Amino acid sequence: MMEKIVLASNNKKKITELRTILGSLMPDCEILSLRGAGIEGDIEENGTTFEENSVIKASVPARLGYIGIADDSGLCVDSLGGAPGVYSARYSGKGDAENNKKLLSELSDKNDRGAKFVCVMSAVFPDGDTVTARGEVSGMILTAPRGEDGFGYDPLFYCPELGKTFAEASADEKNAVSHRGRALAAFCELFKERICFHQNKDRF
Ligand code: IMP
């Protein structure tokens, strides 16, 4: 049976990346964006954890009979008690540049610059069965931005495993160690098993 998977996002970069990876894992699946499945509007991310938010997003297509897949990610800073966390995108309310400025200002009197990026990826099946995988990468928040590539907090996030900031790394270098790369690798393993289970269950 041709499975229909809906990636619960309208972010083109995210969809292209996930479509390539999932498409090679499951060539007999049709992979749609939210819009491609006729689901309009933004999904409200009102959870308090990355897990909750990714499941909230993936549940929307699942309720319509698709397999929903979504991720949620953010930056957790040790000396800020894990902030901005699930509020990373909305930290300043004014976009990436202001988010970075706010972060530097909040850390101006802090010696502990430890932080981690977290990404949680979930799949929700139409019967409510849920698969969740988490990826993390630890690093430090610099006192000034470095590098031109990437997005979000990348220029402030120094990754010891790479010896540079995420904004100084190539996409391949970043993907090899990043929270998203790690969550996706763990997720694919679990998802492959789970989809086989569902296909066999439907057969008998
Ligand atoms: P979302 O998972 O697309 O909702 O992203 C949450 C927010 O976390 C983004 O808008 C960024 O501010 C931040 N973020 C998540 N992943 C990264 C990353 O790889 N680099 C820089 N910022 C990130």
Side-chain angles (χ1 to χ4, degrees):
M1 187 180 64
M2 179 77 144
E3 302 282 357
K4 283 197 176 182
I5 295 177
V6 174
L7 305 175
S9 170
N10 283 321
N11 175 324
K12 282 203 182 117
K13 266 187 168 176
K14 217 180 243 183
I15 290 169
T16 308
E17 182 187 298
L18 288 174
R19 195 176 260 148
T20 309
I21 295 169
L22 292 171
S24 64
L25 270 181
M26 283 154 301
D28 53 343
C29 288
E30 189 180 347
I31 301 173
L32 305 164
S33 65
L34 271 184
R35 223 166 267 138
I39 305 169
E40 293 297 336
D42 287 327
I43 301 167
E44 201 190 343
E45 295 176 34
N46 53 10
T48 55
T49 63
F50 298 111
E51 279 79 5
E52 271 176 25
N53 277 340
S54 68
V55 170
I56 286 170
K57 290 186 261 186
S59 297
V60 172
R63 280 196 289 271
L64 299 172
Y66 300 104
I67 300 169
I69 293 185
D71 74 348
D72 196 52
S73 59
L75 179 71
C76 301
V77 180
D78 298 344
S79 62
L80 301 179
V86 291
Y87 304 103
S88 293
R90 307 164 257 171
Y91 194 36
S92 67
K94 297 181 196 150
D96 284 353
E98 289 300 318
N99 285 347
N100 281 326
K101 273 196 203 156
K102 179 169 176 182
L103 181 59
L104 285 181
S105 137
E106 297 283 331
L107 286 177
S108 58
D109 60 345
K110 304 275 196 288
N111 292 324
D112 177 1
R113 315 282 298 191
K116 64 182 178 183
F117 272 123
V118 177
C119 176
V120 173
M121 185 156 261
S122 298
V124 179
F125 289 82
D127 66 0
D129 185 27
T130 300
V131 173
T132 290
R134 172 181 268 249
E136 297 187 356
V137 58
S138 296
M140 278 154 50
I141 305 301
L142 300 180
T143 51
R146 264 171 46 182
E148 305 297 328
D149 292 332
F151 71 102
Y153 300 94
D154 279 348
L156 290 179
F157 187 82
Y158 178 83
C159 174
E161 283 173 83
L162 296 177
K164 52 181 138 181
T165 70
F166 271 178
E168 293 172 313
S170 69
D172 283 349
E173 284 172 330
K174 181 180 167 185
N175 289 340
V177 299
S178 81
H179 50 314
R180 196 164 296 101
R182 287 174 174 163
L184 190 57
F187 173 82
C188 285
E189 285 301 307
L190 295 172
F191 186 62
K192 261 191 302 190
E193 281 172 24
R194 223 52 213 156
I195 206 157
C196 280
F197 167 79
H198 279 269
Q199 282 170 340
N200 287 324
K201 183 188 79 179
D202 292 343
R203 204 164 286 151
F204 299 111

